[in-house]
Structure formats: C-alpha cells, structure tokens
Amino acid sequence: MSVSVKIGKGNAYKNAARKRRAIRVRKRVTGSEVRPRLVVTRSNRHMVAQVIDDAKGHTLASASTLDVSIRGNEGDKTELAKKVGALVAERAKAAGIESVVFDRAGNRYAGRIAALADAAREAGLDF
C-alpha cells in the first residue's frame, strides 16, 4: 500500500513527516474488542486520549484537557497530560477494559505523550 503525503516547508514539512510516521504505526497497530487501541492526539495546547474498538468503529472511553474536571487545573502541559492519562484509564476500567494497544499517532514517545502513557499505566491500564 503506497500512501503519498505532500511535503512543504517549515511546519508543513514537520506535519507531513508526522503523518508518514502515523501511517507506519497504523499499519501494525489495530484495536480489537479484547484489546482496543488507545490513541493520543496532541496539539500545541491540548491532549485528547481515546480508547477505540477498530472492529466496530466505536469510541469506548475518552478524556481530554477540555474536560470539565481537568480544564481549570493549574500546572504545565505535562501535568495536564498526566491527568488526562489517569482519567482515560479510570474511564476505560469503568467500561471493563483491562488492556489496550498504544497508538502514539506518529508523535515521538517523549514528553507529554510519555507522561500520559505512564499515568495510564499507573492507574492500572495494561499495555
């Protein structure tokens, strides 16, 4: 399967490179009913984490920095990412999900992405 992504300059180049990495990751990572996919979306301001069953195409649990319980909290973006990870793990456990596959969506596993994943692991989500 060949996928082409247009390359521009500056931020467009970085965005195209991230999309290529995301496509590479998604070739191998799929979520099932037994082990759904935890996908992380990162913007400059916010983090969104969703637990998705790819077989049905349903979102089983989600959390973001835009949630009412997290939105007004103090702290830097890494601290907010930790809170999102703990919240999505709590909601996934409530939905009966014990284990997930982690999809970093082409982002490097460092900083906020790693903080979210570590917080989800500490809250009891296995991946």
Side-chain angles (χ1 to χ4, degrees), residues 66-115:
L66 296 170
D67 281 347
V68 176
S69 60
I70 297 176
R71 190 172 179 104
N73 290 340
E74 294 294 323
D76 60 351
K77 292 186 277 188
T78 305
E79 291 298 321
L80 294 176
K82 288 178 185 177
K83 291 176 184 173
V84 170
L87 185 61
V88 76
E90 176 186 317
R91 290 179 179 174
K93 297 285 264 183
I97 299 163
E98 299 294 323
S99 179
V100 296
V101 178
F102 189 65
D103 180 7
R104 58 188 171 85
N107 295 304
R108 199 180 324 169
Y109 188 84
R112 291 190 280 159
I113 302 292

Side-chain angles (χ1 to χ4, degrees), residues 13-97:
Y13 177 80
K14 289 164 80 173
N15 196 21
R18 190 197 64 77
K19 285 181 183 177
R20 281 196 309 273
R21 287 190 304 270
I23 290 166
R24 267 198 316 262
V25 169
R26 286 287 289 132
K27 282 186 209 176
R28 294 177 183 85
V29 175
T30 56
S32 64
E33 189 174 336
V34 176
R35 201 163 172 212
R37 178 172 54 106
L38 173 63
V39 60
V40 178
T41 306
R42 179 181 72 91
S43 73
N44 286 338
R45 277 190 176 181
H46 298 290
M47 294 282 292
V48 178
Q50 294 178 318
V51 178
I52 299 173
D53 178 6
D54 287 324
K56 293 181 182 176
H58 285 82
T59 300
L60 306 172
S62 68
S64 81
T65 53
L66 296 170
D67 281 347
V68 176
S69 60
I70 297 176
R71 190 172 179 104
N73 290 340
E74 294 294 323
D76 60 351
K77 292 186 277 188
T78 305
E79 291 298 321
L80 294 176
K82 288 178 185 177
K83 291 176 184 173
V84 170
L87 185 61
V88 76
E90 176 186 317
R91 290 179 179 174
K93 297 285 264 183
I97 299 163

